[in-house]
Amino acid sequence: MQHDLQHTISLLARTPTALNALLRDLPETWTLCNEGEKTWSAFDVVGHLIHGERTDWMPRAKIILQSGESRPFEPFDRWAQERESRGKSLGELLDEFTRLRSENLSELRRLNLRPEQLELRGRHPALGVVTLSELLATWAVHDLTHLHQISRLMAHQYREAVGPWREYLGVLHCAGHSA
Amino acid sequence: MQHDLQHTISLLARTPTALNALLRDLPETWTLCNEGEKTWSAFDVVGHLIHGERTDWMPRAKIILQSGESRPFEPFDRWAQERESRGKSLGELLDEFTRLRSENLSELRRLNLRPEQLELRGRHPALGVVTLSELLATWAVHDLTHLHQISRLMAHQYREAVGPWREYLGVLHCAGHSA
């Protein structure tokens, strides 16, 4: 399946509502627990998604449109949420993510990107040359990789509670496939 | 983390709303595509969840309460949705899942299960002796295993479109861990 900008936007627009439906007011045993040292909770993931809205996707799209390969992207801080989410509630983070995503998608739609613009190139600090199309497709799959992570880390809390069914539940056998 | 019935119900109650937020009216390239032969689409998964509401969770809970280990559960048909979802739209399936889940949770709440009842035992046709507590915890983790699957199979559609970012996106390296 080729990248389709309208399909990407359809998915990106749904993530805040889906996370809100899943996580808001859920007991903290589901939302604040992680999978062990140096792993994230659902609370951490929402903070990470917020940081992406602020510093990753649209800022990088604008770098590609304005400077192409000549200006590499800023490296992304994968641990920024430890600092930025401090003192906030999960409800506040969900509200913030919803607002930022909505603003970013409004900006993306306003750009009214033409197919040839989607082929414009930028430079990732580690991956090298990438296209605007690849960046926008990655934005959507990045949402899905964190939905995948949230479902896994929540399931992890019941890994003992399910008893012998553990064998059948694929999510309990997933270690995350991190790079 | 021990099984906590109220936490289980909190999660079970959110799944229909979360799937609705994620999937309703999403382009069919996301909802009808699968990961290859003998794999499921999001449409198939919602059909499977419906079949579970009808034949698995509460029916098995009632067998435990009424007959204990003396009456093994009926084996679960993992492919029933091929037959039962035929001719329906995803929107219809989401409505049906929402209604059935709501009815089942009403019934579960009405049972007002005491801690000692959660330790009652039943007999799974393949796994052997299981407890009511394990069955109910599994109901919740089963939702999560399918949310994990849906995020993975949707991401799969963009596995080429993300270009070199593929390396960083754990969900694209997950093969499902099926038993």
Side-chain angles (χ1 to χ4, degrees), chain B residues 22-36:
Chain B
L22 184 66
L23 299 176
R24 189 176 291 264
D25 299 325
L26 197 63
E28 292 188 346
T29 40
W30 294 119
T31 58
L32 295 186
C33 290
N34 61 24
E35 295 169 281

Side-chain angles (χ1 to χ4, degrees), chain A residues 1 3-4 7-8 11 14 21-22 24-25 29-30 126 138 145 148 151 157-158 165 168 171 173-174 177, chain B residues 1 3-4 7-8 14 21-22 24-25 29-30 126 138 145 148 151 154 157-158 165 168 171 173-174 177:
Chain A
M1 179 169 152
H3 179 233
D4 179 306
H7 291 179
T8 297
L11 185 63
R14 279 167 173 76
L22 185 65
R24 189 178 290 265
D25 299 326
T29 39
W30 295 118
T138 299
T145 213
H148 189 253
S151 59
Q157 312 312 320
Y158 265 14
W165 267 288
Y168 290 174
V171 69
H173 301 274
C174 183
H177 322 280
Chain B
M1 177 169 153
H3 178 233
D4 179 307
H7 291 178
T8 296
R14 279 165 173 77
L22 184 66
R24 189 176 291 264
D25 299 325
T29 40
W30 294 119
T138 298
T145 213
H148 189 254
S151 60
M154 286 171 60
Q157 312 311 320
Y158 265 13
W165 268 288
Y168 291 174
V171 69
H173 302 273
C174 183
H177 323 279

